[in-house]
Amino acid sequence: MDYLVFRLYGAMASWGEIAVGESRHSTTHPSKSAIFGLMAAAIGIKREDEQQQLELAAGYHIAVKQLTNGTLLKDYHTTQAPDSVGKFTYKTRRDELTLGYERLGTVLSSREYRTDSVCLVAIKVLDDAPYELTNIQQKLLKPVFHLYLGRKSCPLSAPLDPQIITGQGYKNALDGYDNKAILPDNSTTGRNKQALALSEPAQYYWEGELTDLDNDIELQMIQTNSRYDQISSRKRWQFKPRLEHSYQEPPQKESA
């Protein structure tokens, strides 16, 4: 089977969990909604285009190989914005600060980010997929809109480098990805490995059948959790639960 595999790396990333009130947490690995938001932006599907957003989210399954979780960063965030006035819409930030000056209020929140986290994403086509993998690959190389890692304050710090890989299961495809150096590297210092802490045991996350990752993994080594990141409505920011499996690769024994 063919998979589209690409890399996500940024100095900062934020993979949102359920957010209520002022606390905006981030998990260690990207959510399905974040990955499909990035793909939709690359293809050129606008957030308001509900039908195409839902077709894209329903047409593919994903898997993630987390190479390193990076470091947790917390930001005490303040922003000023006017409250709503009936059906009137502020079209620009300047409008908010000038026309809405008398109605400005301060919103406080605590936001989490992951710094220097690196992961690989594999995409598998389902029966009703609206695009071929090669079409998505081309769009990831030349995206229509800017791409972000969960929030607009988190741009990419390295090319996605999408590759079509034929493999037997997600793990085979993810492990077969040609992960080119992010930082200038040489064989003596291993700067990528040191700076990005790539020596952690890899963690895999996927949806679908338990055996979709690798037929040879013992089922008792797999954990399944429910995650609210299946897109229900982009316009209303609504998500529904899906089952996500995870498996951590055993640490490699150091040679004597």
Side-chain angles (χ1 to χ4, degrees):
M1 174 170 286
D2 287 343
Y3 299 86
L4 174 63
V5 184
F6 55 92
R7 176 180 58 195
L8 297 180
Y9 170 67
M12 292 171 57
S14 185
W15 311 122
E17 283 280 47
I18 296 175
V20 178
E22 65 178 24
S23 298
R24 315 290 173 85
H25 298 289
S26 172
T27 56
T28 55
H29 62 286
S31 60
K32 183 172 183 178
S33 56
I35 292 170
F36 279 83
L38 182 141
M39 287 170 54
I43 294 168
I45 302 173
K46 294 185 176 179
R47 183 182 299 277
E48 309 85 61
D49 193 337
E50 196 86 284
Q51 186 62 33
Q52 284 202 64
Q53 289 278 357
L54 292 177
E55 289 177 359
L56 182 69
Y60 309 87
H61 273 176
I62 61 167
V64 173
K65 179 180 181 181
Q66 192 74 17
L67 299 174
T68 175
N69 294 333
T71 304
L72 176 65
L73 172 69
K74 289 187 177 182
D75 176 37
Y76 183 67
H77 192 93
T78 64
T79 185
Q80 279 193 314
D83 59 4
S84 59
V85 187
K87 295 183 178 179
F88 178 77
T89 303
Y90 299 99
K91 295 183 178 178
T92 65
R93 180 62 176 159
R94 184 177 185 277
D95 285 351
E96 289 185 340
L97 298 178
T98 54
L99 302 178
Y101 179 78
E102 298 293 337
R103 308 180 69 90
L104 283 177
T106 302
V107 179
L108 306 178
S109 61
S110 175
R111 305 187 178 208
E112 292 182 353
Y113 301 87
R114 306 299 306 191
T115 61
D116 281 335
S117 66
V118 186
C119 70
L120 305 178
V121 177
I123 304 294
K124 182 173 77 172
V125 170
L126 302 180
D127 291 340
D128 297 327
Y131 303 96
E132 300 287 339
L133 291 182
T134 51
N135 297 135
I136 300 175
Q137 181 187 31
Q138 292 305 311
K139 291 297 184 181
L140 292 177
L141 289 169
K142 294 183 178 179
V144 176
F145 300 126
H146 289 291
L147 306 181
Y148 303 100
L149 301 176
R151 290 200 183 118
K152 286 186 176 179
S153 57
C154 306
L156 294 167
S157 298
L160 295 168
D161 193 16
Q163 301 169 18
I164 303 287
I165 298 176
T166 302
Q168 298 296 324
Y170 285 124
K171 189 173 187 301
N172 188 247
L174 288 163
D175 292 348
Y177 181 79
D178 181 14
N179 193 10
K180 297 183 177 67
I182 294 174
L183 303 172
D185 199 0
N186 61 60
S187 57
T188 56
T189 63
R191 189 176 172 205
N192 275 275
K193 207 167 183 177
Q194 288 181 345
L196 302 176
L198 295 181
S199 59
E200 296 178 5
Q203 183 94 21
Y204 297 85
Y205 304 89
W206 72 102
E207 60 181 342
E209 302 296 327
L210 292 175
T211 54
D212 284 352
L213 182 71
D214 188 338
N215 269 327
D216 295 332
I217 293 177
E218 297 179 11
L219 296 183
Q220 59 265 35
M221 300 290 290
I222 298 173
Q223 187 176 41
T224 300
N225 293 304
S226 178
R227 193 173 185 188
Y228 270 79
D229 64 353
Q230 178 73 37
I231 300 163
S232 178
S233 171
R234 280 280 184 198
K235 290 171 68 174
R236 298 192 296 273
W237 286 92
Q238 291 179 336
F239 305 92
K240 54 188 179 183
R242 71 178 176 102
L243 293 180
E244 183 183 71
H245 314 298
S246 63
Y247 165 75
Q248 181 163 325
E249 201 168 49
Q252 294 182 351
K253 294 181 180 178
E254 295 184 3
S255 56

